[in-house]
Amino acid sequence: MSKCCCDAVGGHVLVKPRLHPTPRPSSVYLPWEKLRSKTRPKTTVAVATGNCRGSFTWALNQTGGGLVLPRKESNEEKVRSKKRVFFLDVNPLCYNGSTPSLHSFGHWVSLFFEQVSVSDPVIAVLNVVEVAVIDGERCNEYRRQLLPSYKAHRRKFSKQVPSQRFSSIAAGRSYQIVGDILSKCNVPVLKVEGCEADDVVATLVGQVLQRGYRVVIASPDKDFKQLISEEVQIVMPMPEFGRWSFYTLKHYIAQYNCDPCSDLSLRCIMGDEVDGVPGIQQVAPGFGRKTALKLLKKHGSLENLLNAAAVRTVGRQYAQDALTKYADFLRRNYEILSLRRDIDVQLEEEWLFDRDRRNDSVVLSNFFKQLGDTQKLTCQNASHSSDG
């Protein structure tokens, strides 16, 4: 109890409580707080954290109980919640290095079905003229009209090493086998003549994304990296590890330190030796990778850079001269190296259904058995020929 001081006024005693200036300890619990806690409104506090793109993730911290508001999904969570659709780029799987190999196809497809796609929808793309990914006369015709040297080394290689490529008859039969195997495993197989498989996939990827799915492209082809985004991933066969490996936007940025659009622009400036596309350094030797990266980092894309260079100075004189003098050269490279998205092919609704995988084991087992029997027969024929 507080001490009191007394004063006598007119025969009456006045009692004055002595006030304590120091606050009560926080550990002291007063009885009326229990009552007040029952009547206190329940609240939730929303804390917003944002990124540079302006999207927000809401974290709700309940402080007094009561109704908890639904948490807004992050962009990554939204993407992961979408169903996956796989595109299988078949032709590269049919080669062991530069040698055609049905064994290679069977190996990678069996791993793909078992470990990667499982029952997710799979759309396979197979070029019937890939008889000539090496010969390459028809599927590359559009780009060869722009640049005769495009993938010309593949034609040269095919003439130098005829034993390492299919004859036209053997190729047709082999790709028929591949198509049959995939069909029996309930995979729709697209055969588009006169078009590269990359362009067919790029066209269909856009249509799948519009339907609200996310995409995984199964291919070792580096050209597909220009399609990578939060909703498009790549899964690559890794021969050195004997498995498939996912490659995402995070991996891409960590590897190249730029976004896919900038990387495609960089390839257009620097050229692509593998595909026979010359770079600007062949006509402007002082224009190197360091200069290209610096300019693209500032302007974002090749087209933005060329438009800026047309109206003002964007760099040192040698770079300015190269960009203005060889603008058409660079735009041609972009048209060659960028994937087309206007191929005349339409996505069918049934291609998006879950794949029935019950036939996989039997179909692939019979396929490998058939390959083994064929190999034994080939060896026997070779032995008889040598004896004769």
Side-chain angles (χ1 to χ4, degrees), residues 113 148 169 185 202 332 377:
F113 287 156
I169 297 176
C185 291
R332 182 205 61 185
L377 181 61

Side-chain angles (χ1 to χ4, degrees), residues 102-120:
L102 288 176
H103 278 281
S104 175
F105 164 77
H107 170 73
W108 288 113
V109 165
S110 60
L111 286 179
F112 177 74
F113 287 156
E114 181 181 353
Q115 300 177 2
V116 182
S117 67
V118 193
S119 61
D120 286 331

Side-chain angles (χ1 to χ4, degrees), residues 232-251:
V232 179
Q233 299 178 344
I234 296 176
V235 60
M236 302 178 177
M238 306 290 287
E240 61 271 32
F241 302 113
R243 62 179 176 82
W244 291 86
S245 180
F246 278 87
Y247 188 88
T248 68
L249 180 61
K250 290 181 180 179
H251 296 118

Side-chain angles (χ1 to χ4, degrees), residues 214-368:
R214 57 189 173 117
V215 169
V216 183
I217 302 170
S219 175
D221 194 334
K222 68 181 184 304
D223 291 336
F224 285 124
K225 289 184 178 180
Q226 63 189 266
L227 299 179
I228 284 183
S229 67
E230 292 182 346
E231 296 181 324
V232 179
Q233 299 178 344
I234 296 176
V235 60
M236 302 178 177
M238 306 290 287
E240 61 271 32
F241 302 113
R243 62 179 176 82
W244 291 86
S245 180
F246 278 87
Y247 188 88
T248 68
L249 180 61
K250 290 181 180 179
H251 296 118
Y252 184 98
I253 294 174
Q255 180 179 3
Y256 296 105
N257 194 30
C258 65
D259 61 53
C261 178
S262 296
D263 180 65
L264 175 59
S265 297
L266 180 63
R267 285 179 61 206
C268 295
I269 295 174
M270 302 308 299
D272 191 319
E273 184 178 355
V274 174
D275 286 343
V277 180
I280 197 172
Q281 65 272 23
Q282 295 189 17
V283 292
F287 202 122
R289 184 181 183 88
K290 185 176 179 180
T291 300
L293 281 171
K294 181 179 179 180
L295 292 172
L296 287 174
K297 187 174 182 180
K298 180 178 180 180
H299 296 276
S301 69
L302 176 62
E303 190 60 30
N304 289 344
L305 175 59
L306 294 178
N307 289 338
V311 296
R312 66 177 186 274
T313 302
V314 296
R316 294 187 178 182
Q317 193 60 46
Y318 72 90
Q320 181 70 23
D321 292 342
L323 291 173
T324 52
K325 185 176 181 180
Y326 298 107
D328 291 340
F329 172 93
L330 293 172
R331 286 191 171 99
R332 182 205 61 185
N333 279 3
Y334 191 90
E335 190 170 358
I336 292 170
L337 293 174
S338 60
L339 297 181
R340 296 177 60 186
R341 294 161 171 83
D342 59 352
I343 302 302
D344 186 16
V345 59
Q346 293 299 318
L347 182 70
E348 300 291 339
E349 190 66 32
E350 56 265 27
W351 298 349
L352 304 177
F353 295 161
D354 285 346
R355 187 178 68 85
D356 185 349
R357 55 193 295 252
R358 289 175 293 181
N359 296 337
D360 291 3
S361 179
V362 173
V363 171
L364 291 171
S365 295
N366 291 339
F367 173 65
F368 283 116

Side-chain angles (χ1 to χ4, degrees), residues 9-149:
V9 180
H12 297 280
V13 178
L14 302 179
V15 180
K16 299 179 180 178
R18 180 174 295 174
L19 301 177
H20 295 275
T22 56
R24 59 181 174 80
S26 59
S27 60
V28 176
Y29 181 80
L30 301 179
W32 60 78
E33 289 192 352
K34 184 175 181 179
L35 177 61
R36 189 168 61 185
S37 67
K38 291 182 179 179
T39 59
R40 181 186 298 143
K42 312 288 176 86
T43 60
T44 53
V45 177
V47 180
T49 58
N51 56 28
C52 60
R53 296 184 179 181
S55 61
F56 289 91
T57 300
W58 293 90
L60 295 175
N61 299 321
Q62 183 175 331
T63 59
L67 179 64
V68 178
L69 298 176
R71 186 176 63 86
K72 186 175 181 180
E73 284 186 317
S74 67
N75 194 46
E76 184 176 355
E77 288 173 327
K78 286 182 178 179
V79 171
R80 287 183 178 179
S81 67
K82 295 181 178 180
K83 186 176 180 179
R84 298 185 302 182
V85 174
F86 284 85
F87 284 91
L88 183 63
D89 184 16
V90 177
N91 298 95
L93 305 181
C94 297
Y95 288 82
N96 183 10
S98 58
T99 305
S101 171
L102 288 176
H103 278 281
S104 175
F105 164 77
H107 170 73
W108 288 113
V109 165
S110 60
L111 286 179
F112 177 74
F113 287 156
E114 181 181 353
Q115 300 177 2
V116 182
S117 67
V118 193
S119 61
D120 286 331
V122 178
I123 301 171
V125 180
L126 175 65
N127 268 334
V128 291
V129 292
E130 191 73 7
V131 193
V133 166
I134 289 183
D135 292 332
E137 294 301 329
R138 295 186 62 190
C139 63
N140 298 325
E141 185 176 354
Y142 163 75
R143 289 179 171 86
R144 289 231 174 94
Q145 290 176 351
L146 296 172
L147 181 66
S149 65

